[in-house]
């Protein structure tokens, strides 16, 4: 069993009521992806399922997009806060452990709209779970600097998605884990 902080952590939340989602299962897939991509141990990622109006608002406010989309990825700054007390960054203070702990590396947020994923899956003739799995991996890969701005990048990203999904399925898709 892995010790806390030994692997990246995924915090999942379902903030929509349109489509039933197994937050533990999909958080496990996101965690599997982070581990396979060698994300920092102790890194943290949030996987949030939202409705169409929420994702449309995020898309418009932060990405100058129009309307709802299936997934958005918001990487966070990788500059950790300074050590020591705030605001002077002096000593650690009375009662503090002698060894400072490193702050967690916050990787970012992946925001998914299951209603859009379901609509896309239906129109493309794919199972909802297969489409949702691909969207979760896709969002996590965006946080890890994958992109699809040109044909080569798109092909590379799609290949990596396929590899990660195959390796996740090989683990038995354990809810909440993804790693044996």
């Amino acid at each position: 069993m892995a010790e806390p902080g030994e692997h990246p952590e995924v915090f999942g939340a379902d903030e929509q009521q349109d489509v039933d989602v197994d937050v533990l299962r999909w958080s496990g897939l996101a965690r599997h992806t982070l581990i396979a991509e060698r994300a920092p141990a102790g890194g943290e990622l949030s996987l949030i399922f939202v409705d169409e109006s929420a994702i449309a608002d995020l898309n418009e406010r932060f990405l100058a997009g129009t309307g709802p989309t299936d997934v958005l990825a918001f990487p966070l700054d990788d500059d950790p806060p300074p050590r020591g007390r705030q605001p002077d960054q002096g000593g650690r203070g009375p009662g503090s452990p002698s060894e400072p702990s490193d702050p967690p590396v916050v990787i970012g947020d992946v925001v998914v709209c299951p209603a859009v994923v379901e609509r896309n899956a239906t129109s493309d003739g794919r199972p909802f779970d297969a489409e949702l799995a691909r969207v979760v991996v896709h969002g996590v890969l965006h946080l890890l600097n994958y992109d699809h701005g040109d044909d080569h990048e798109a092909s590379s990203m799609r290949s990596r998605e396929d590899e990660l999904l195959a390796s996740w399925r090989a683990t038995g898709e354990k809810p909440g884990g993804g790693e044996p």
Side-chain angles (χ1 to χ4, degrees), residues 67-101:
T69 187
D70 54 1
V71 63
L72 295 173
F74 297 98
L76 298 180
D77 287 336
D78 54 6
D79 295 329
R83 291 181 172 211
R85 291 182 308 185
Q86 302 297 324
D88 65 0
Q89 282 94 52
R92 298 193 39 78
S96 295
S98 59
E99 290 296 318
S101 62

Side-chain angles (χ1 to χ4, degrees), residues 29-104:
L29 174 56
R31 184 172 179 268
H32 173 84
T33 302
L34 291 171
I35 292 168
E37 289 294 310
R38 301 185 198 307
E44 297 179 354
L45 176 143
S46 293
L47 176 63
I48 307 160
F49 297 95
V50 299
D51 62 23
E52 290 187 61
S53 64
I55 206 158
D57 179 55
L58 292 170
N59 192 22
E60 292 165 13
R61 282 194 301 151
F62 296 105
L63 300 174
T66 304
T69 187
D70 54 1
V71 63
L72 295 173
F74 297 98
L76 298 180
D77 287 336
D78 54 6
D79 295 329
R83 291 181 172 211
R85 291 182 308 185
Q86 302 297 324
D88 65 0
Q89 282 94 52
R92 298 193 39 78
S96 295
S98 59
E99 290 296 318
S101 62
D102 290 332

Side-chain angles (χ1 to χ4, degrees), residues 118-127 131:
E118 185 175 57
R119 190 167 47 250
N120 292 345
T122 300
S123 70
D124 293 340
R126 289 191 302 267
E131 184 69 9

Side-chain angles (χ1 to χ4, degrees), residues 126-180:
R126 289 191 302 267
F128 170 71
D129 276 1
E131 184 69 9
L132 185 54
R134 181 168 301 282
V135 164
V136 168
V137 171
H138 187 88
V140 173
L141 289 178
H142 270 304
L143 293 181
L144 301 175
N145 296 318
Y146 282 79
D147 203 358
H148 45 80
D150 61 39
D151 289 344
H152 177 70
E153 286 178 341
S155 175
S156 177
M157 188 171 184
R158 178 61 90 154
S159 292
R160 187 60 182 148
E161 289 170 7
D162 291 341
E163 292 167 3
L164 290 163
L165 290 167
S167 69
W168 181 62
R169 288 185 192 105
T171 68
E173 300 180 28
K174 293 172 181 60
E179 287 296 308

Side-chain angles (χ1 to χ4, degrees), residues 17-37:
Q17 297 178 349
D18 300 324
V19 179
D20 287 334
V21 293
D22 182 345
V23 175
L24 271 179
R25 179 182 187 204
W26 303 119
S27 295
L29 174 56
R31 184 172 179 268
H32 173 84
T33 302
L34 291 171
I35 292 168
E37 289 294 310

